Amino acid sequence: LQLVESGGGLVQPGGSLRLSCAASGFTLDGWTIGWFRQAPGKEREGVACISPHLYSRTTYADSVKGRFTISRDYVKKTIHLQMNSLKLDDTAVYYCAADTTPVPGICTMEVGGYDRWGQGTQVTVSS
């Protein structure tokens, strides 16, 4: 199983980006998926997560509430993170992660709650 992120890049403050997470050969539907980020010199932090599709629960970090949206694309079998109104502080490497043995209805943003990780995609917000 390999998670692959895409969609990162350079954007001006106030702009938008959409990140995607996919797994070759897997649908991700039955797993909890989380998005995390890590800025230089800082610890990895949870940004958003979405529980398995039967429960459809999402959770967001306070710093991104109202600006970021996590969602499942059942056609493309991917998880998206739509990021709007980006700020300089959003600059980081963004990772998607999967909890392949999820607890029903639980969506955690703790790093230790995930057992599969992607390689990350860089998001840079700069004027």
Side-chain angles (χ1 to χ4, degrees), residues 96-120:
C96 73
D99 175 3
T100 60
T101 56
V103 175
I106 298 297
C107 176
T108 179
M109 290 200 293
E110 296 294 327
V111 171
Y114 295 83
D115 54 288
R116 296 289 188 272
W117 291 83
Q119 294 299 307

Side-chain angles (χ1 to χ4, degrees), residues 20-77:
S20 298
C21 174
S24 177
F26 294 83
T27 66
L28 305 181
D29 289 352
W31 300 340
T32 293
I33 302 297
W35 280 99
F36 293 78
R37 67 185 181 187
Q38 188 165 19
K42 294 186 177 181
E43 294 186 352
R44 191 169 299 188
E45 64 175 356
V47 174
C49 62
I50 187 166
S51 61
H53 70 101
L54 288 178
Y55 308 98
S56 298
R57 177 176 178 173
T58 59
T59 303
Y60 297 91
D62 289 342
S63 59
V64 306
K65 280 181 182 176
R67 301 189 297 123
F68 290 11
T69 303
I70 188 171
S71 62
R72 292 185 181 273
D73 184 330
Y74 291 100
V75 175
K76 296 183 178 179
K77 301 179 180 180

